[in-house]
Amino acid sequence: MAKYRDLILEIIKASSGHMTAEAIYLEAKKLQPSIAVGTVYRNLRLMTEAGEIKRVVMANSPDIFDISTHPHAHLICQKCHTIADFSISNLEEHLQKLTGLEILGYDLNVRYICNICKKKGIG
Amino acid sequence: MAKYRDLILEIIKASSGHMTAEAIYLEAKKLQPSIAVGTVYRNLRLMTEAGEIKRVVMANSPDIFDISTHPHAHLICQKCHTIADFSISNLEEHLQKLTGLEILGYDLNVRYICNICKKKGIG
DNA sequence: CTAAATGCAAACTATTTGCAACGAT
DNA sequence: ATCGTTGCAAATAGTTTGCATTTAG
């Protein structure tokens, strides 16, 4: 059982660490041609709920699954939608102090234009 | 022209400042029964692109439209999905310094359980 | 034998879009 | 007359789900 869990984990790891469900499905299909989209989504959902991976929700593009589950922020290029991780030390504690609330976690997406897209210019 | 823009703005203002497209549509329908969902979505999109309102994308619930467009974070209750604003001074500048990049903006959603849901207990 | 996992297709949610009709200048 | 705006319905994107079947222990 959990036949495809490890496969999916390996695929995400082998990438930059951030992949859409569709990209994972296409990769998985190369190795296991009989795999169905539903299976990929189902496993991604279960793995997310189990805390093995993290789902990143962004504007204007499908959800991304992130191999690293520790708290960190995402730099998101507004043109190519590529994601880069970066961590801000003690942000969770800082938020906790600021709000006086019991924080469960945070999602921080920082918008910018990556260097590659910048060089390509406007358009 | 722009017949419904002001109506939509007023509806969001009259609320807590955060509403789903559907909730806006239902309110608008009370005042203008002939209004169509498509029109609401179209105007919300145009208003968002014009920077008059802000679209907040969250996990596990439809997008929310926010009357305040200045940079601020959202406290999101994981049970009732209610949103509260709170601002963190200089976060944008801070991110800029940390990354050394030209930041266009950020989306910060902080997960917690609001007091009302906490009192209701687990379930 | 059983229980979990899968493939398939249909269903679903949220949102967008094409188009003909409408409305204000 | 013109051009943006609307209502309607169909289309789309992304994801989830029901169910019969397969698979692994």
Side-chain angles (χ1 to χ4, degrees):
Chain A
M1 47 204 72
K3 190 180 166 188
Y4 289 125
R5 298 260 176 114
D6 294 340
L7 177 61
I8 288 173
L9 266 182
E10 290 312 314
I11 287 171
I12 305 178
K13 268 184 202 156
S15 77
S16 60
H18 306 105
M19 290 181 86
T20 61
E22 204 200 357
I24 294 166
Y25 167 65
L26 292 174
E27 271 311 300
K29 216 176 162 64
K30 286 185 193 165
L31 302 164
Q32 301 283 334
S34 68
I35 196 172
V37 245
T39 302
V40 172
Y41 276 102
R42 200 154 23 205
N43 277 300
L44 286 171
R45 165 167 274 265
L46 290 171
M47 291 159 75
T48 301
E49 281 163 1
E52 296 167 28
I53 56 177
K54 210 181 152 193
R55 184 193 290 253
V56 183
V57 174
M58 335 186 278
N60 309 316
S61 39
D63 293 358
I64 289 267
F65 294 89
D66 189 337
I67 198 74
S68 77
T69 55
H70 66 87
H72 64 281
H74 291 116
L75 287 167
I76 301 181
C77 174
Q78 292 308 98
K79 292 216 171 160
C80 65
H81 297 122
T82 294
I83 298 194
D85 285 343
F86 88 101
S87 49
I88 305 178
S89 47
N90 304 323
L91 180 53
E92 199 154 336
E93 291 87 333
H94 188 56
L95 291 168
Q96 194 115 352
K97 274 181 199 160
L98 269 180
T99 61
L101 297 166
E102 188 185 335
I103 302 303
L104 299 176
Y106 66 85
D107 300 307
L108 174 53
N109 292 346
V110 180
R111 283 173 269 118
Y112 82 124
I113 309 288
C114 73
N115 286 326
I116 296 166
C117 288
K118 239 180 198 165
K119 275 173 196 152
K120 284 183 193 159
I122 308 153
Chain B
M1 46 201 73
K3 189 178 164 188
Y4 289 126
R5 299 261 176 112
D6 294 340
L7 177 60
I8 289 173
L9 267 183
E10 289 313 314
I11 287 171
I12 305 177
K13 268 185 203 157
S15 78
S16 60
H18 306 104
M19 290 181 86
T20 61
E22 203 200 358
I24 293 166
Y25 166 64
L26 292 174
E27 270 311 301
K29 215 175 164 65
K30 285 185 194 165
L31 302 164
Q32 303 282 333
S34 67
I35 195 172
V37 244
T39 300
V40 171
Y41 275 103
R42 200 154 23 205
N43 277 299
L44 285 171
R45 165 168 273 266
L46 291 171
M47 291 159 76
T48 301
E49 282 163 1
E52 295 168 28
I53 56 177
K54 210 180 152 194
R55 183 194 291 255
V56 183
V57 173
M58 333 185 282
N60 309 315
S61 39
D63 294 357
I64 289 266
F65 295 88
D66 188 338
I67 198 73
S68 77
T69 56
H70 67 87
H72 65 279
H74 290 117
L75 287 167
I76 301 180
C77 174
Q78 292 308 97
K79 293 219 171 156
C80 65
H81 297 124
T82 294
I83 297 193
D85 285 342
F86 87 101
S87 49
I88 306 179
S89 46
N90 305 321
L91 181 53
E92 200 155 335
E93 293 88 333
H94 188 55
L95 291 168
Q96 194 115 352
K97 275 180 197 160
L98 269 180
T99 61
L101 296 166
E102 188 185 336
I103 302 303
L104 299 176
Y106 65 85
D107 299 307
L108 174 54
N109 292 344
V110 180
R111 282 173 270 117
Y112 82 123
I113 309 287
C114 74
N115 286 327
I116 296 166
C117 288
K118 237 179 199 166
K119 273 171 197 154
K120 285 183 194 159
I122 308 154

mmCIF file of all heavy atoms in Angstrom, chain B residues 35 38 51 57 64 68 75 81 101 107 113:
data_model
loop_
_atom_site.group_PDB
_atom_site.id
_atom_site.type_symbol
_atom_site.label_atom_id
_atom_site.label_comp_id
_atom_site.label_asym_id
_atom_site.label_seq_id
_atom_site.Cartn_x
_atom_site.Cartn_y
_atom_site.Cartn_z
ATOM 1 N N ILE B 35 -29.322 41.699 -11.368
ATOM 2 C CA ILE B 35 -27.873 41.556 -11.547
ATOM 3 C C ILE B 35 -27.488 40.081 -11.717
ATOM 4 O O ILE B 35 -28.085 39.189 -11.107
ATOM 5 C CB ILE B 35 -27.092 42.191 -10.371
ATOM 6 C CG1 ILE B 35 -25.618 42.371 -10.745
ATOM 7 C CG2 ILE B 35 -27.244 41.360 -9.116
ATOM 8 C CD1 ILE B 35 -24.829 43.173 -9.721
ATOM 9 N N GLY B 38 -22.116 36.742 -13.277
ATOM 10 C CA GLY B 38 -21.017 37.096 -14.182
ATOM 11 C C GLY B 38 -20.630 38.552 -14.054
ATOM 12 O O GLY B 38 -19.444 38.894 -14.074
ATOM 13 N N GLY B 51 -6.782 48.133 -8.918
ATOM 14 C CA GLY B 51 -6.228 48.423 -7.601
ATOM 15 C C GLY B 51 -7.216 49.052 -6.633
ATOM 16 O O GLY B 51 -6.829 49.567 -5.598
ATOM 17 N N VAL B 57 -6.384 35.344 -1.669
ATOM 18 C CA VAL B 57 -6.494 33.936 -2.025
ATOM 19 C C VAL B 57 -6.147 33.100 -0.810
ATOM 20 O O VAL B 57 -5.091 33.283 -0.212
ATOM 21 C CB VAL B 57 -5.514 33.626 -3.178
ATOM 22 C CG1 VAL B 57 -5.463 32.148 -3.473
ATOM 23 C CG2 VAL B 57 -5.903 34.422 -4.410
ATOM 24 N N ILE B 64 -11.524 36.028 -1.410
ATOM 25 C CA ILE B 64 -12.180 37.076 -0.633
ATOM 26 C C ILE B 64 -11.746 38.410 -1.222
ATOM 27 O O ILE B 64 -10.611 38.552 -1.639
ATOM 28 C CB ILE B 64 -11.691 36.973 0.825
ATOM 29 C CG1 ILE B 64 -12.275 35.736 1.478
ATOM 30 C CG2 ILE B 64 -11.957 38.224 1.614
ATOM 31 C CD1 ILE B 64 -13.532 35.952 2.231
ATOM 32 N N SER B 68 -9.588 47.118 1.815
ATOM 33 C CA SER B 68 -8.377 47.905 2.050
ATOM 34 C C SER B 68 -7.213 47.376 1.216
ATOM 35 O O SER B 68 -6.900 46.192 1.221
ATOM 36 C CB SER B 68 -8.032 47.934 3.532
ATOM 37 O OG SER B 68 -7.446 46.753 3.943
ATOM 38 N N LEU B 75 -5.428 37.700 9.528
ATOM 39 C CA LEU B 75 -5.582 36.627 10.498
ATOM 40 C C LEU B 75 -6.761 35.794 10.035
ATOM 41 O O LEU B 75 -7.878 36.319 9.897
ATOM 42 C CB LEU B 75 -5.896 37.201 11.880
ATOM 43 C CG LEU B 75 -4.733 37.875 12.597
ATOM 44 C CD1 LEU B 75 -5.254 38.668 13.795
ATOM 45 C CD2 LEU B 75 -3.728 36.823 13.064
ATOM 46 N N HIS B 81 -13.208 30.516 9.021
ATOM 47 C CA HIS B 81 -12.645 31.245 7.876
ATOM 48 C C HIS B 81 -12.864 32.752 7.921
ATOM 49 O O HIS B 81 -12.720 33.427 6.907
ATOM 50 C CB HIS B 81 -13.150 30.671 6.542
ATOM 51 C CG HIS B 81 -12.728 29.259 6.316
ATOM 52 N ND1 HIS B 81 -13.607 28.241 6.072
ATOM 53 C CD2 HIS B 81 -11.508 28.678 6.329
ATOM 54 C CE1 HIS B 81 -12.957 27.103 5.929
ATOM 55 N NE2 HIS B 81 -11.683 27.339 6.089
ATOM 56 N N LEU B 101 15.952 42.168 -2.868
ATOM 57 C CA LEU B 101 15.205 42.219 -4.123
ATOM 58 C C LEU B 101 14.219 43.380 -4.121
ATOM 59 O O LEU B 101 13.879 43.920 -3.069
ATOM 60 C CB LEU B 101 14.429 40.917 -4.307
ATOM 61 C CG LEU B 101 15.263 39.647 -4.451
ATOM 62 C CD1 LEU B 101 14.376 38.429 -4.280
ATOM 63 C CD2 LEU B 101 15.970 39.630 -5.793
ATOM 64 N N ASP B 107 1.676 38.761 0.404
ATOM 65 C CA ASP B 107 0.431 38.241 0.948
ATOM 66 C C ASP B 107 0.786 37.430 2.172
ATOM 67 O O ASP B 107 1.511 36.444 2.070
ATOM 68 C CB ASP B 107 -0.266 37.344 -0.076
ATOM 69 C CG ASP B 107 -0.612 38.109 -1.337
ATOM 70 O OD1 ASP B 107 -1.258 39.166 -1.216
ATOM 71 O OD2 ASP B 107 -0.224 37.669 -2.431
ATOM 72 N N ILE B 113 -7.103 30.072 15.534
ATOM 73 C CA ILE B 113 -8.510 29.795 15.828
ATOM 74 C C ILE B 113 -9.068 30.991 16.593
ATOM 75 O O ILE B 113 -8.528 31.359 17.639
ATOM 76 C CB ILE B 113 -8.666 28.526 16.705
ATOM 77 C CG1 ILE B 113 -7.907 27.334 16.110
ATOM 78 C CG2 ILE B 113 -10.140 28.192 16.894
ATOM 79 C CD1 ILE B 113 -8.504 26.723 14.886
#
